[in-house]
Amino acid sequence: MAGLDPRNLGGVRELVAYAAAVLVAWLTALLLRALLRGSGRVAEPEPGPEDVAYLTGGPWQAVYAAVAALSSTGSLLAAGGRMHAGGPLPRGAGEVAAAVHAAARTGTQVNLLPAHPAVRAALDRAGDRLRGQGALLSPGRRRAMGLTTVPLFVLAVFGAVRFGLNLPSDDSAAAAASVRSLLTLVCAMLALVTGIVVAVRAQIRNRGGDRLVRDLRRRYTALEPRRNLSLAGNGPAAATLAVGLFGTAALWTADPAFARAADVPQQRATSGGGYGGDGGYQSDSDSSCSTGGSCGSS
């Protein structure tokens, strides 16, 4: 039975096979995620300003863009972290802006807006439109992309257990066994880290959606925050696109007093294909608008 002693397991051949398995699992995860994203073509017509904000940074970005549109016309005022309607809904305002304006009639906070039933419904419809046009990945594909990292995490657990079983004891503290155990732990850590890195790259746009966002940013460079464009007087659509494409930095640059009074977070949109660690809006996951609902996750 000495051959079944766990401390005797983990030879060089097994270590090499384990390292190869980690590498194959990582490459397979990347390949499958690339295939699941697909090339994609966004169907006509081109998404409206609020849908562009949603495509760029998810539900939260669409809310911030709607807030910017309303504040640019004086239809939304803020004080002490609360917002309230300051005038009628401006002409040309989008569906999300209309819902935000309705929610603000009784006073609200910006971080509570996505949980408001009317706002959440408008955001869900925006997400549905973008998925219908082929710009956003379906929830099924996103779940499948998440499952591609499971083998990496399984291998990480396997390596950690094997490391524990192969720890040299007082009666078998061979240097070679110690080195193999250490290398097994290193491989396990690599599997864990690569699994986490791949998992947090929460890509929810397909490549067609990425191309559309890049094209729109090039087309509307005049709306970049560094241009110091005044959002007031350019219409709600321009304000929506400015924040939708380039983040709330556009609102903070154009109207810092309102942004501060409304507790709008400072962030900027980047060029990745998701709303999380892959780039895009920095703190959204497309299905976590608030504690109160799905907000575009269906």
Side-chain angles (χ1 to χ4, degrees), residues 15 18-19 22-23 26 151-163 180-198:
L15 176 60
Y18 176 64
V22 171
L23 178 62
W26 173 59
L152 283 167
F153 292 122
V154 171
L155 285 170
V157 172
F158 175 83
V161 172
R162 182 52 52 86
F163 172 75
R180 288 196 299 271
S181 295
L182 182 59
L183 290 176
T184 299
L185 180 62
V186 170
C187 290
M189 293 300 296
L190 286 175
L192 178 63
V193 171
T194 54
I196 293 174
V197 169
V198 173

Side-chain angles (χ1 to χ4, degrees), residues 228-252:
N228 294 316
L229 178 72
S230 173
L231 299 184
N234 286 286
T240 303
L241 281 173
V243 174
L245 287 172
F246 303 106
T248 58
L251 179 57
W252 274 91

Side-chain angles (χ1 to χ4, degrees), residues 1 8 21 34 36 56 79 85 88 92 95 99 101 133 137 142 144 155 160-161 170 179 183 224 237 241:
M1 299 295 290
N8 294 330
L36 286 167
T56 303
E95 185 180 3
H101 188 265
Q133 289 183 274
L137 297 173
R142 287 162 51 198
L155 285 170
V161 172
D170 294 337
V179 171
L183 290 176
E224 290 181 359
L241 281 173

Side-chain angles (χ1 to χ4, degrees), residues 63 96 99-101 103 113-124 295:
V63 167
V96 178
V100 168
H101 188 265
L113 281 172
H116 189 278
V119 178
R120 185 169 67 246
L123 292 171
D124 285 342
C295 201

Side-chain angles (χ1 to χ4, degrees), residues 48-55 62 65-66 69 93-98 126 129-130 240-241:
E50 288 183 346
D51 288 0
V52 167
Y54 192 114
L55 179 64
E95 185 180 3
V96 178
R129 284 193 298 271
L130 289 168
T240 303
L241 281 173

